[in-house]
DNA sequence: GTCTATATGCTGATAGAC
DNA sequence: GTCTATCAGCATATAGAC
């Protein structure tokens, strides 16, 4: 869970040269920006190229088609978030309680998805619009990520740290939805990321009602 | 807050005829479906027309341009949800507590947004992609709706029904985000709407932690 | 009110120079 | 590796018949 770019070198080629790799990364970042702002159908290779500082045909040196470029953006976004949360969980003290692990995952998810917010909003906004074939690799990542969260909740429930009458699956989906949507409205000039993390953890742990 | 279509008749014309009105409504519903599935840039008038059972040029009889059609979809979605929640709140017993009003608003929002889910997903998915000019009327609706929720939370806080250390604005945004995102994943074949409403209310009221 | 026919403009992808 | 030049396809919007 340490790699974050999934070096998709051309078939059979050795590792890309540094310069080549940086250009590919610039194109990918540019595509994430354009995809999040213009949507799947509105993502023009011309705009991606301008944003990346190359001409449009140069994109075809790194990606075989527009759809493959978009598929890579969706995959990389999902993959990096899962990798980061996974790494954070793996680094927690062994005596961390299941609920402590859930709260740590909430923090890790929020911090990372807002750090790479172009990829996050690109995924969130286009999840229902990108054709299924193009989403396939990203979907596999998201399934794995869903399983990770399901495990977190089931361990908390088995440890008696969750309310007994909770529908664990529905609640998990609601919480992940609240976090994903934060990428749409969070404004660092109005609230610090620390405040957002704290508010989310409080909501998850105790809701809004006074005890 | 009873009207739900905002009869946008042509400049200076009297109310549209029944048949005309139904066709307009079919085109609007079709546009909501296409917009949610294909996105702003991918919404082709040809697809809208096919879905509505008319030919593409007929759309221009009811809407002056593609952008005006899309603007109307975004506006109507926001307007109807706000109208419904407003109506439900107005119908509550006078002795309903502020927290009871929040939970009623949660239920009303979820039920209505999932009832008109094409409009909901059209708004949610394209909120960050539709040009500002096209979003203007919808934005005004959403601002009014935001104020309504802010009032609900402030009344609950003033009545001492909220935890004292709560960041009311952040929490409100997280809750509305969780609900909006439910339109993306809720599957009526897996969980009833009643279950979803109950799970959301529990999360809002008490979070997931055991008391 | 709704149709057929069409003008105009823009996009993805390729060929081939350097 | 990255560029210039170019082709073929498709979408909005309008004109005008019925």
């Amino acid at each position: 869970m340490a790699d974050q770019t999934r070096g998709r070198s051309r078939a059979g080629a050795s590792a890309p040269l540094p310069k080549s790799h940086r250009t590919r990364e610039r194109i990918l970042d540019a595509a994430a920006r354009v995809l999040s702002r213009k949507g799947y159908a509105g993502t023009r290779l011309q705009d991606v190229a301008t944003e990346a500082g190359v001409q449009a045909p140069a994109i075809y040196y790194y990606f075989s088609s527009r759809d493959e470029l978009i598929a890579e953006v969706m995959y990389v976004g999902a993959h990096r978030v899962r990798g980061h949360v996974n790494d954070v969980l793996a680094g927690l003290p062994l005596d961390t309680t299941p609920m402590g692990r859930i709260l740590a995952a909430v923090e890790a998810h929020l911090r990372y998805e807002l750090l790479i917010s172009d990829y996050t909003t690109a995924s969130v906004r286009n999840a229902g619009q990108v054709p299924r074939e193009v989403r396939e690799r990203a979907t596999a990542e998201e399934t794995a990520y869903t399983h990770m969260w399901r495990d977190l909740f089931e361990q908390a429930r088995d440890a008696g740290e969750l309310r007994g009458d909770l529908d664990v699956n529905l609640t998990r989906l609601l919480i992940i939805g609240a976090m994903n949507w934060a990428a749409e409205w969070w404004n660092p000039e109005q609230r610090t990321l620390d405040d957002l993390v704290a508010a989310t953890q409080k909501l998850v742990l105790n809701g809004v009602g006074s005890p």
Side-chain angles (χ1 to χ4, degrees), chain A:
Chain A
M1 266 306 167
D3 76 303
Q4 301 212 323
T5 52
R6 187 177 193 236
R8 275 177 60 78
S9 44
R10 275 86 60 217
S14 54
L17 296 169
K19 181 185 177 189
S20 172
H21 185 266
R22 277 198 306 276
T23 303
R24 185 183 191 278
E25 204 68 10
R26 279 211 322 278
I27 292 172
L28 203 59
D29 286 350
R33 276 181 69 88
V34 175
L35 184 59
S36 75
R37 285 159 180 72
K38 299 298 185 69
Y40 171 69
T43 295
R44 312 286 173 219
L45 293 182
Q46 178 61 246
D47 296 342
V48 174
T50 302
E51 192 102 20
V54 295
Q55 294 297 319
I59 295 172
Y60 285 91
Y61 181 79
Y62 296 97
F63 301 92
S64 65
S65 71
R66 175 180 175 277
D67 274 353
E68 205 217 285
L69 170 61
I70 290 172
E72 184 71 358
V73 170
M74 309 280 290
Y75 168 79
V76 162
H79 180 71
R80 290 185 186 176
V81 170
R82 181 168 77 94
H84 178 72
V85 175
N86 210 53
D87 288 349
V88 166
L89 288 176
L92 290 177
L94 290 175
D95 61 350
T96 308
T97 63
M99 182 63 80
R101 288 171 62 81
I102 288 178
L103 296 180
V106 164
E107 172 162 14
H109 179 103
L110 277 174
R111 289 194 188 280
Y112 201 82
E113 80 162 21
L114 293 169
L115 180 69
I116 59 162
S117 61
D118 286 336
Y119 288 85
T120 305
T121 51
S123 293
V124 165
R125 293 174 179 173
N126 295 292
Q129 294 175 0
V130 169
R132 200 175 44 71
E133 320 87 71
V134 180
R135 288 222 46 197
E136 253 168 23
R137 282 191 292 136
T139 301
E141 275 296 307
E142 281 153 23
T143 301
Y145 193 51
T146 290
H147 286 335
M148 207 197 71
W149 277 92
R150 185 173 297 173
D151 289 347
L152 285 175
F153 275 92
E154 284 177 355
Q155 282 158 23
R157 188 190 54 199
D158 294 349
E161 293 189 292
L162 295 188
R163 293 176 183 274
D165 59 347
L166 215 62
D167 187 319
V168 175
N169 284 317
L170 284 181
T171 306
R172 172 177 50 80
L173 288 161
L174 285 166
I175 291 170
I176 292 180
M179 292 193 295
N180 282 343
W181 197 243
E184 298 287 339
W185 55 261
W186 179 63
N187 181 350
E189 289 168 14
Q190 292 186 356
R191 288 289 193 291
T192 67
L193 187 43
D194 286 349
D195 286 343
L196 174 60
V197 168
T200 309
Q201 289 176 327
K202 276 182 201 159
L203 178 63
V204 168
L205 193 55
N206 292 317
V208 305
S210 57

